[in-house]
Amino acid sequence: MDLYGWFGKALRVNLSTGVIKEEEIEKTLMMDWLGGRGLGTRMIYREVPAVCNPLGSENKLVFAAGPLTGSNFPGSGRFSVSAKSPLTGTIFDSNAGGTWGVRFKRCGFDMLIIEGAASTPVFLSIKDGAASLEDAGELWGNDVFETNHKIISILGKDVSVACIGPAGENQVKFAAIMNDAHRVLGRGGLGAVMGAKKIKAVVVSGNKKVRVAHPEKMDLMVYESDKWIQASPITSKGLPEFGTPVLVNLFNELGVFPSYNFQGSQFANAGKISGEAIAETIYAGRKGCYRCPVQCTRMVKIGASTIPGPEYESLWALGPECGIDDLTVIAEANNLCSQLGLDTISTGVTIGCAMELEERGLLKTGLKFNDAVGLLRAIKQIAGREGVGDLLAEGSRRMADSSGFSQYSMQVKGLELPAYDPRGMQGMGLGFATSNRGGCHLSAYMVGPEALGVPKMVDRFSTGGKAGLTITQQNINAAVDSLIICRFINLAVSEEYFARALSAATGVDYRPQDLYRIGERIWTLERLYNLQAGLDSSFDTLPPRLLEEPIAEGPSLGKTVELKPMLAEYYRFRGWDAAGIPTPKKLQELELEEYSC
């Protein structure tokens, strides 16, 4: 099979039997699903029962690169992992940058399927086209940094390591998979799935060349895209100079920067933890992923150590969400989450929920807002499932449910919400409520049109037209997650360039509308899986606080999320029925007739 952009090969590893085998991927399958999230979604739907225990042997992990992974296109160093989430029960994908995705692709594979469960700890080593399972008994119990260091010291510096820490081993419901030590497949608890399967790490090293069908056309797309990136104030100035924390002051001024478990929509000391504050105090340089012109990672100096600093979501979750305004503490907490293998968003929001429950006298957690020592202690307790950490390790929904006060859990479908108060951005509220992953800002980054003016500014308080905008973002983002490209590139470069780069890489003619269609196909299949798992339209909602409690002060004063009219329009525009189920006509239109709920 003569292929460009793709290798057309998958590696299947059965941990129960130890059997490793190569499989061919049909070209039409790759053309229809691209790679990354798309291939992962299709494989999970086909092979993982929607009603299975996410921590049981029936669940599978699908690591997938995309047709642009390893090319020269900006932001193309990413890879995706898909599985059924132990936190949400939904189909789930997460992606990360660094070097792992490129080195995996250069092993000659587009996809890795890990199934079954090992009886004792193992790690998987893939070098070029050869793969083997190795004993990981001496690595089990090590944190992420120790694991990364030990494997590299044994196998050499030309490898990339994706591994779990103690949180994954202890099957914390929001444990992360960490690659290149500090890069994070954070959301949904995919690290817990690795822990349940007793696979400590996947180590890759490859030198195979990824062929491009039309090198000159690709070079042109790279040149043009780099120009757009340099022309955008966000990707040429804001993110390179201040990293993602550049958003702190802006969103605080808009009154959409949550604090104290979303009890407030502003934080009094936001200026102390902003991107500007980092630049003036603890900044020590910047880094980026493979083929990244933005270089958004802040390196910070904490004591004698220089470490990657917290990005916007982590800074918020471990800061204002818990009432903390000390940059040093937040940076230490962020680094600790990386070391132990925890999703910072779910960690911070779960701790913030525990703090509110404690202060209301509803659940004894020993945690209170503004308690920096308690924050750091709780992170360690969660990863080790020690004391109250065992309850917090289940996530905020299960923790709050245990006390009978689920309304204080700030989550959708079990996934803790990120750093945007949707009462001040109606489209963001719809995006949260309808996301197939749960409380996710990346499925539809409505912050773009509602706050940043990308691609154009719309009225953030209006519900009109938000269903259409949300659907458009959800569809194109599903395709971008399958190519697979960093979302920051999407802030400056349009899907026209993505389609032309994909055509240059693969030799297959793609247009922007093809990407939208592929994205809609992926989104719809994810919806069908979730429906089979029991997540009907009643799960397309938000915490009562956001629907019923108006913002008490600031620029978004008096606002709640007016979800009901937007949701009804969303279902209609999607071609779903009033119960949120894709109609036979829509399935036929997307060539998904063989799939059903």
Side-chain angles (χ1 to χ4, degrees), residues 254-266 410 417 420-430 432 450 460-463 542-553 555-562 566:
L254 292 175
V256 295
F257 191 54
S259 59
Y260 299 96
N261 200 34
F262 283 76
Q263 293 182 84
S265 63
Q266 289 183 300
M410 305 308 295
L417 293 175
Y420 313 91
D421 192 325
R423 290 174 290 187
M425 292 186 288
Q426 295 294 316
M428 200 71 232
L430 179 63
F432 286 159
E450 291 188 312
R460 62 191 177 100
F461 296 129
S462 172
T463 60
L542 296 168
R545 172 166 288 159
L546 305 181
L547 298 172
E548 301 167 4
E549 298 180 18
I551 290 177
E553 58 184 1
S556 299
L557 174 67
K559 299 298 182 181
T560 59
V561 179
E562 300 173 43
M566 291 191 293

Side-chain angles (χ1 to χ4, degrees), residues 481-500:
D481 288 344
S482 305
L483 289 174
I484 174 172
I485 299 169
C486 175
R487 290 290 183 79
F488 292 150
I489 304 304
N490 204 18
L491 293 174
V493 181
S494 75
E495 50 270 22
E496 172 70 31
Y497 291 88
F498 295 158
R500 292 169 66 186

Side-chain angles (χ1 to χ4, degrees), residues 12 29 33 35-54 56-64 80-86 88-94 111-116 190 193 197 436 522 525-530 532-533 595:
R12 187 180 293 268
L29 191 64
W33 301 93
R37 175 177 167 184
L39 271 183
T41 295
R42 197 262 186 187
M43 289 300 299
I44 295 299
Y45 188 96
R46 285 283 196 180
E47 299 194 2
V48 177
V51 295
C52 79
N53 175 5
S57 60
E58 286 185 294
N59 201 3
K60 301 184 182 185
L61 288 158
V62 179
F63 291 68
S80 175
V81 179
S82 300
K84 182 178 180 183
S85 165
T88 66
T90 65
I91 192 169
F92 212 94
D93 72 284
S94 187
M111 182 166 58
L112 164 67
I113 306 159
I114 298 177
E115 57 192 16
L190 302 185
V193 179
K197 293 182 178 299
N436 290 325
I522 294 165
L525 193 61
E526 291 171 344
R527 179 70 175 192
L528 293 176
Y529 188 94
N530 287 349
Q532 291 179 17
Y595 304 93

Side-chain angles (χ1 to χ4, degrees), residues 196-276:
K197 293 182 178 299
K198 284 189 167 57
I199 180 164
K200 179 67 174 177
V202 181
V203 187
V204 295
S205 175
N207 294 302
K208 295 188 177 183
K209 184 175 177 59
V210 181
R211 296 195 305 162
V212 173
H214 304 295
E216 291 183 359
K217 291 182 179 179
M218 176 61 83
D219 288 344
L220 177 61
M221 287 303 97
V222 170
Y223 172 75
E224 293 291 338
S225 297
D226 280 342
K227 285 203 305 183
W228 280 110
I229 291 167
Q230 290 304 311
S232 166
I234 298 173
T235 51
S236 67
K237 294 183 179 179
L239 289 172
E241 290 185 18
F242 301 108
T244 56
V246 72
L247 300 174
V248 169
N249 283 330
L250 170 62
F251 291 149
N252 196 58
E253 290 172 4
L254 292 175
V256 295
F257 191 54
S259 59
Y260 299 96
N261 200 34
F262 283 76
Q263 293 182 84
S265 63
Q266 289 183 300
F267 189 57
N269 293 326
K272 292 176 60 178
I273 60 167
S274 64
E276 293 85 347

Side-chain angles (χ1 to χ4, degrees), residues 138-154:
E138 294 187 1
L139 296 174
W140 203 256
N142 286 182
D143 66 37
V144 169
F145 301 160
E146 292 168 339
T147 301
N148 200 67
H149 174 74
K150 288 181 180 180
I151 290 176
I152 289 176
S153 67
I154 295 170

